[in-house]
Amino acid sequence: MPKDNAPDTVSRLATCNLCEAMCGLRVDLAGDRVTGIRGDVEDPLSRGHICPKAVALQDVHNDPDRLRSPVRRTSSGWAEISWDEALDLVADRLAEIRDEHGADAVATFLGNPVLHSLGAMTHVMRLVRLLRTRNRFSATSVDNLPSQLTSYLLYGHQWLHPVPDLDRTSFFLVFGANPVVSNGSLMSAPNVSRRLRALRERGGRMVVFDPRRTETAKRADEHHFVRPGTDAALILAMAQVILTGGPARPAPYVDGLEQVRRALEDFTPERAAQITGVAADTIRRLAREFAAAESAACYGRVGVSTQRFGALCQWGIQLLNLITGNLDRPGGTLMSTPALDLVGGGQIDAGGYDRWRSRVRGLPEFAGEFPVATLAEEITTPGTGRVRALLTVSGNPVLSTPGGHVLSAALAELEFMAGVDFYINETTRHADVILPPTHVLERDHYDLIFRLFGIRDTARYTPAVLPKPTGALDDWEIFSGLAERLGNSGPRVPPARIVDLGLAAGPYDLTLAGLGDHPHGLDLGPLKPSLPGRLQTPDQRINAAPALVLDDIERARTELLTPRPATTRLLLIGRRHLRDANSWLHNSARLTKGRARHHLLMNPADMEARGLSEGDLARVQSWPGEVTVPVAGSDDLMPGVVSLPHGFGHVFEDVRLAVAREVGGASANDLTDPMVVDRLGGTSVLNGVPVTVGPAGES
Ligand SMILES: Nc1nc2c(c(=O)[nH]1)N[C@H]1C(S)=C(S)[C@@H](COP(=O)(O)OP(=O)(O)OC[C@H]3O[C@@H](n4cnc5c(=O)[nH]c(N)nc54)[C@H](O)[C@@H]3O)O[C@H]1N2
Ligand SMILES: Nc1nc2c(c(=O)[nH]1)N[C@H]1C(S)=C(S)[C@@H](COP(=O)(O)OP(=O)(O)OC[C@H]3O[C@@H](n4cnc5c(=O)[nH]c(N)nc54)[C@H](O)[C@@H]3O)O[C@H]1N2
Ligand code: SF4
Ligand SMILES: [Mo]
């Protein structure tokens, strides 16, 4: 085996695209074989950091189960077909169904890795727009829709989102995020652990609110349990304390705070304490300490987005930063000034809300998409506009969206389905055709979206590490191939050219060639104040009190501030692990070895009350479904709360995932309810789901 510096080994620079941290990599090659993956110490953002997932890129690369050519489902199993045949077939069937039943009969679902693939980012929307369907869905509505909606309402653009200045803040206040494991989201921060250590060393502090004492909470100066789904009461009470007792010091370009103050009158710490389980004194004290801190950044992610008042939580988090003068100041939260500025350059849709509604349930669109919680019923409900064909791109909604088992059944009713993905997963197994793109090491990479959310402004373009296999297509070529067959006659502009143009139009006058002089990445410095100039609102001011939010505060006042009757049901929340990435990577032996990690975590007192012991199989039931999983006791769980990770529960009929067969587990989204969404925005409620838990043997 050639070692690091053996003469026949070369080392090439790449970027890990498995999460938002964008770690710089050195990939060791012996010929076309990947022999090792290490962190690139010269990357200005990641500075040598990697996590175990990076090394798994080579497992994905070498995985015999990864598709290398298109496949078609036949009565005798999957059959390989040529690219021309596959692209013709998909384009013809989509066009036929559209011509017969109208554009809305063809639906699209874009999964999370779209944001991590340069060619998908540059080319998928062209295809989606060409289909002219209103039935557009994505992972956004099980993820960051509340943040995007808030940014659209407050700052005038769904992707203009302030980033916590993690390296300089003196007070980091966290709701429902676990960045030590996730490495940050809408806050790209490789090696969060090191940065949190530095925070403490410079005399700063971190406070975390989470129903589980997480890996992040364990590094905090204070951690408080909060009853799942109730954070809005807590966050709004903190804002109320600051708006009534001070010190509030908003920027001069912020309007509407008097209206906000009046709307929040009932959100007292005492009322919030009853609902959230956090003591009123703690709420009051932390609000004052946050407001008085030299600099402070409030941040919240998946835990406070995918809950019943998720949008209100995200608005409240922005409000806390706004009223304390921490928006746009070093150590607070700042907009990035990216080298390639999709927002300022107008290359990406600013957003829009409730311009039309979904056919069956009347849910509002956001940024041209419907909430994915309504996809299954759009397929199964007869009538004009019924979804009869589906194109999925790098996603696995059967495991990642609420009521996944219901969606799985619905997919079988489609007249045609195609998936752009290099795995046959629980979703693409329903497809008639699967179109597999090249793997990330075989194509150029630039993070068009995540560079907007770096805790430092950096740019890094990494050319493909390995040659593209003969006949293989990149994501962008698949979308171009389909678009051309569906009538798009424009020239093909490759992603590299689009990046080059974007850099030239950006604030630093860069070019792709110029960036090539910085193969490890170009450091553009810490986050810089940029407001109000960067605001995309028509008057370049911030209206802190949008009517939609005021209405939702009223809904929270009546629905959330009223204590609920006691119940024996437990509240289900999610969980992420450093060696998982949503529903995939389970085919990497390197990542899946060791103790199983799909168990239901439960407070020992709740286990005892239900006659459950460590390792027992428990039956977990909710309104739409049930699963059977082993339980593990942990004091890290708030009493009354259970935790199950999503992305497990692999199905093997039709699916060729040899290693993942050993993984086991059940899908958390067989328990989540597609009928329950945050009414402001339509985000799925994936946390705080009521469940009953008992020994699996009993009925
Ligand atoms: N209960 C619960 N559910 C959740 C969450 C939760 O916290 N709790 N989290 C939600 C969140 S935040 C998200 S983002 C979603 C994620 O859920 P999805 O958006 O459905 O995405 P993944 O599970 O990441 O799907 C990955 C698929 O993309 C394919 N893929 C990977 N790279 C590429 C590529 O470069 N090109 C193409 N074409 N395909 C590729 C993989 O092969 C894999 O099949 O899950 C959500 N679901
Ligand atoms: N290793 C790894 N890294 C990842 C991913 C992965 O799958 N694995 N996925 C990537 C993706 S797609 C995303 S979007 C990000 C997500 O990044 P994060 O949001 O940082 O990750 P989560 O682990 O979902 O953190 C959500 C936290 O909210 C808590 N929580 C649940 N319900 C509530 C509640 O009601 N109130 C409060 N206050 N907290 C609650 C959970 O206990 C959990 O600790 O991670 C990214 N990074
Ligand atoms: S933290 Fe891990 S998965 Fe995320 S970019 Fe870095 S190496 Fe990749
Ligand atoms: Mo996500």
Side-chain angles (χ1 to χ4, degrees), residues 405-535:
H405 55 309
V406 179
L407 178 62
S408 184
L411 295 180
E413 291 188 32
L414 290 167
E415 287 175 27
F416 181 75
M417 180 177 156
V420 182
D421 201 307
F422 40 60
Y423 280 109
I424 305 175
N425 66 25
E426 292 65 31
T427 303
T428 56
R429 79 184 179 97
H430 294 283
D432 297 282
V433 181
I434 305 177
L435 307 168
T438 49
H439 181 234
V440 67
L441 298 177
E442 301 161 339
R443 62 195 190 208
D444 301 355
H445 189 74
Y446 186 92
D447 282 282
L448 286 174
I449 279 288
F450 300 117
R451 295 282 163 197
L452 302 183
F453 303 115
I455 57 162
R456 211 180 157 81
D457 287 318
T458 57
R460 179 173 172 126
Y461 190 90
T462 41
V465 166
L466 290 165
K468 195 163 114 181
T470 317
L473 299 186
D474 289 341
D475 271 315
W476 76 275
E477 294 171 300
I478 297 174
F479 302 125
S480 298
L482 289 174
E484 284 155 12
R485 284 166 175 82
L486 286 162
N488 187 12
S489 53
R492 277 195 182 195
V493 185
R497 178 78 187 124
I498 295 174
V499 172
D500 192 32
L501 292 170
L503 289 170
Y508 307 93
D509 287 334
L510 292 165
T511 59
L512 195 52
L515 205 51
D517 296 337
H518 306 271
H520 302 278
L522 176 62
D523 189 8
L524 299 164
L527 297 171
K528 303 168 257 304
S530 64
L531 300 188
R534 244 188 130 220
L535 292 175

Side-chain angles (χ1 to χ4, degrees), residues 54-94:
V55 189
L57 281 175
Q58 80 188 74
D59 300 341
V60 172
H61 189 73
N62 299 331
D63 190 347
D65 290 336
R66 180 167 63 87
L67 298 177
R68 268 91 171 162
S69 50
V71 291
R72 179 183 189 168
R73 194 150 48 84
T74 70
S75 50
S76 54
W78 294 101
E80 287 191 3
I81 55 174
S82 75
W83 273 107
D84 270 336
E85 198 183 343
L87 293 170
D88 285 346
L89 180 64
V90 174
D92 287 351
R93 290 297 285 132
L94 295 182

Side-chain angles (χ1 to χ4, degrees), residues 18-20 51 53 112 116 143 174-179 181-185 209-212 214 226-231 299-304 307 572-583 643 646 687-688:
L18 291 172
C19 86
E20 300 179 32
C51 83
K53 289 190 293 302
N112 167 275
H116 297 271
D143 187 353
V174 180
F175 294 91
N178 189 10
V181 164
S182 67
N183 279 291
S185 178
F209 286 95
D210 198 303
R212 179 167 74 90
T214 60
V226 51
R227 198 165 293 138
T230 65
D231 297 76
Y299 169 73
R301 269 304 274 126
V302 167
V304 283
Q307 58 161 274
L572 176 73
I573 63 169
R575 180 164 94 236
R576 284 178 157 80
H577 190 281
L578 195 57
R579 289 192 281 138
D580 294 317
N582 296 315
S583 77
S643 162
H646 72 288
N687 285 298

Side-chain angles (χ1 to χ4, degrees), residues 16-23 25 49-54 183 190:
C16 180
N17 74 332
L18 291 172
C19 86
E20 300 179 32
M22 308 178 282
C23 294
L25 304 179
H49 174 79
I50 52 167
C51 83
K53 289 190 293 302
N183 279 291

Side-chain angles (χ1 to χ4, degrees), residues 218-497:
K218 284 177 181 161
R219 285 166 175 78
D221 299 270
E222 276 183 49
H223 163 244
H224 300 280
F225 284 139
V226 51
R227 198 165 293 138
T230 65
D231 297 76
L234 180 62
I235 295 165
L236 298 192
M238 289 181 77
Q240 194 258 15
V241 169
I242 298 167
L243 284 170
T244 53
R249 39 184 182 189
Y253 48 81
V254 179
D255 301 318
L257 288 178
E258 181 49 28
Q259 268 171 293
V260 170
R261 193 192 57 76
R262 279 201 307 273
L264 297 187
E265 263 164 10
D266 286 348
F267 288 82
T268 60
E270 283 69 24
R271 296 283 293 274
Q274 281 189 312
I275 309 303
T276 61
V278 181
D281 287 350
T282 305
I283 299 175
R284 198 167 270 118
R285 173 178 59 80
L286 284 173
R288 298 211 168 116
E289 288 173 2
F290 183 81
E294 195 188 319
S295 67
C298 181
Y299 169 73
R301 269 304 274 126
V302 167
V304 283
S305 290
T306 53
Q307 58 161 274
R308 96 197 141 94
F309 288 94
L312 205 50
C313 285
Q314 290 298 348
W315 170 82
I317 286 168
Q318 295 306 314
L319 183 70
L320 283 176
N321 291 322
L322 272 178
I323 59 179
T324 53
N326 280 301
L327 176 68
D328 202 40
R329 88 162 162 191
T333 62
L334 300 109
M335 309 297 182
S336 61
T337 313
L340 199 165
D341 185 9
L342 292 179
V343 170
Q347 289 117 316
I348 193 164
D349 180 30
Y353 183 62
D354 202 10
R355 292 163 296 182
W356 52 87
R357 295 198 172 180
S358 68
R359 177 181 67 106
V360 178
R361 215 190 302 175
L363 293 178
E365 62 73 43
F366 172 70
E369 287 179 10
F370 291 130
V372 70
T374 187
L375 174 56
E377 64 203 7
E378 291 292 341
I379 297 170
T380 55
T381 311
T384 318
R386 177 180 187 174
V387 169
R388 294 163 191 272
L390 175 66
L391 175 71
T392 68
V393 179
S394 59
N396 195 356
V398 166
L399 294 191
S400 63
T401 71
H405 55 309
V406 179
L407 178 62
S408 184
L411 295 180
E413 291 188 32
L414 290 167
E415 287 175 27
F416 181 75
M417 180 177 156
V420 182
D421 201 307
F422 40 60
Y423 280 109
I424 305 175
N425 66 25
E426 292 65 31
T427 303
T428 56
R429 79 184 179 97
H430 294 283
D432 297 282
V433 181
I434 305 177
L435 307 168
T438 49
H439 181 234
V440 67
L441 298 177
E442 301 161 339
R443 62 195 190 208
D444 301 355
H445 189 74
Y446 186 92
D447 282 282
L448 286 174
I449 279 288
F450 300 117
R451 295 282 163 197
L452 302 183
F453 303 115
I455 57 162
R456 211 180 157 81
D457 287 318
T458 57
R460 179 173 172 126
Y461 190 90
T462 41
V465 166
L466 290 165
K468 195 163 114 181
T470 317
L473 299 186
D474 289 341
D475 271 315
W476 76 275
E477 294 171 300
I478 297 174
F479 302 125
S480 298
L482 289 174
E484 284 155 12
R485 284 166 175 82
L486 286 162
N488 187 12
S489 53
R492 277 195 182 195
V493 185
R497 178 78 187 124

